[in-house]
Amino acid sequence: MPPVAAAPSETPATKKATPTFKHAYRSERMPSGNYAVRDLPIFAAPKDEAKGKKYSLSWLKKACLRAIERKQGGHLAPVHVEHHDPGQTRDNAGFMDNYRVMQTLLDGESVPAVFVDLVEVPPTTFAEIRSYRLPYRSVEILDPEIPEISSLALMSSDVPFFRLPMTVVSEPTLARFCFRDEPRNLRSLKMSATATDHAPVPIPIQ
């Protein structure tokens, strides 16, 4: 009787890989060929003062309302690769849209935070995000006394002040809407957003 070959033993090289991260933000391919990243927390208010400035829940809500006003005037705040230095231009990485305030976990505590969708993210930048080369994000605020988020930096290695879950995305699907879909945007901004049964419930901002 011929010998029966033994099944190969499982080695570290042959074991099924486990995901490095347990979370992933939903991503979609937009009609333009660019990409969107949905329901991304970008700025939190864990207490009334952070970095010596007052960033309260009220500040977050006013910043979202200001973004609505800007959009009605035809402006979406930019997303860019790395932070700006004075007089410096950075590569465009899309725009922020669909602002809302929801609870998120930060350092083990539930705190209010501004959530946005990143829209019209160029394919080259999205590829960098998918490859974990732009895992961190940090907002830019021109004047803390004026509740407004001017832009968002996607960063490769700078540690942000708010250590929110890293920018890890799912396999992209086809977008069900785009940022020009005004009725959906207004609903999400006011109350319901895109929350699923397992997602945080938006806090009314008016």
Side-chain angles (χ1 to χ4, degrees):
M1 180 176 179
V4 178
S9 60
E10 197 173 60
T11 66
T14 60
K15 285 182 180 178
K16 185 177 180 180
T18 57
T20 304
F21 304 99
K22 295 182 179 180
H23 72 283
Y25 297 104
R26 181 164 56 92
S27 69
E28 298 172 341
R29 185 171 183 185
M30 304 187 75
S32 62
N34 293 326
Y35 292 86
V37 179
R38 304 293 183 188
D39 303 318
L40 193 69
I42 61 169
F43 191 68
K47 50 188 176 181
D48 285 343
E49 295 191 13
K51 283 190 173 179
K53 307 296 182 182
K54 290 190 175 181
Y55 296 117
S56 62
L57 174 59
S58 175
W59 194 101
L60 301 186
K61 291 181 177 182
K62 289 177 181 178
C64 288
L65 288 172
R66 184 58 173 158
I68 297 173
E69 295 171 356
R70 293 283 193 195
K71 180 177 177 178
Q72 290 172 344
H75 174 84
L76 291 177
V79 182
H80 42 84
V81 177
E82 306 296 349
H83 271 302
H84 288 105
D85 290 327
Q88 187 179 42
T89 299
R90 289 296 193 179
D91 290 340
N92 174 267
F95 307 93
M96 289 187 287
D97 195 22
N98 299 327
Y99 292 69
R100 58 268 194 203
V101 177
M102 299 190 288
Q103 294 292 122
T104 192
L105 285 178
L106 177 65
D107 298 330
E109 295 184 9
S110 179
V111 298
V114 173
F115 282 66
V116 300
D117 291 350
L118 307 188
V119 297
E120 300 298 351
V121 178
T124 52
T125 304
F126 186 75
E128 293 288 291
I129 294 172
R130 288 288 313 274
S131 300
Y132 312 122
R133 295 191 183 101
L134 294 172
Y136 306 112
R137 56 193 182 277
S138 176
V139 302
E140 292 190 359
I141 297 170
L142 296 180
D143 184 351
E145 299 302 320
I146 300 175
E148 181 170 15
I149 296 173
S150 301
S151 65
L152 177 69
L154 303 179
M155 305 180 298
S156 59
S157 58
D158 285 342
V159 179
F161 182 78
F162 292 118
R163 300 187 185 187
L164 295 163
M166 294 159 62
T167 311
V168 177
V169 297
S170 66
E171 186 74 23
T173 59
L174 289 178
R176 292 174 293 175
F177 52 82
C178 65
F179 72 88
R180 300 177 185 84
D181 184 2
E182 187 66 22
R184 181 266 172 192
N185 289 346
L186 288 177
R187 286 196 300 274
S188 68
L189 285 164
K190 302 291 185 181
M191 286 291 291
S192 61
T194 57
T196 65
D197 291 339
H198 304 288
V201 177
I203 299 170
I205 60 176
Q206 286 185 326

